[in-house]
Amino acid sequence: YWRDWSSDVCSSDLDSKKVGEQIRNKRKQLGYTQESLAAYLGITEVYMSNVENGKHLPSNKLMKKIFEKLKMKITITLE
């Protein structure tokens, strides 16, 4: 049950496809390959691909590590 460390929004409120798309866009912008990012994170390239394609939403620990590596901030819009 993932919680954003800066808010009270739970992972069930996050759209895994949007999160994955943002991760992929930022990764490409910074010039990382899926392979290099996955190796840094200690996960498989297949799992990284699944995250980027919205098939998996990473754990709190992994999400934080991804966001720190890609210098991303969590911004959540509630409708």
Side-chain angles (χ1 to χ4, degrees), residues 22-36:
Q22 290 174 357
I23 290 170
R24 178 178 40 252
N25 290 342
K26 188 68 170 180
R27 173 184 59 77
K28 287 182 175 183
Q29 179 185 1
L30 294 175
Y32 295 115
T33 63
Q34 278 186 344
E35 181 180 16
S36 66

Side-chain angles (χ1 to χ4, degrees), residues 6-67:
S6 65
S7 78
D8 256 347
V9 179
C10 314
S11 63
S12 60
D13 299 323
L14 297 176
D15 181 331
S16 60
K17 288 189 179 195
K18 286 182 183 178
V19 171
E21 184 178 308
Q22 290 174 357
I23 290 170
R24 178 178 40 252
N25 290 342
K26 188 68 170 180
R27 173 184 59 77
K28 287 182 175 183
Q29 179 185 1
L30 294 175
Y32 295 115
T33 63
Q34 278 186 344
E35 181 180 16
S36 66
L37 183 57
Y40 170 81
L41 298 169
I43 61 174
T44 67
E45 193 174 345
V46 170
Y47 187 82
M48 188 72 242
S49 176
N50 286 336
V51 167
E52 290 186 359
N53 289 317
K55 294 179 182 175
H56 295 294
L57 192 60
S59 68
N60 181 27
K61 184 178 178 180
L62 181 56
M63 184 78 80
K64 186 174 181 182
K65 198 170 179 181
I66 291 169
F67 278 37

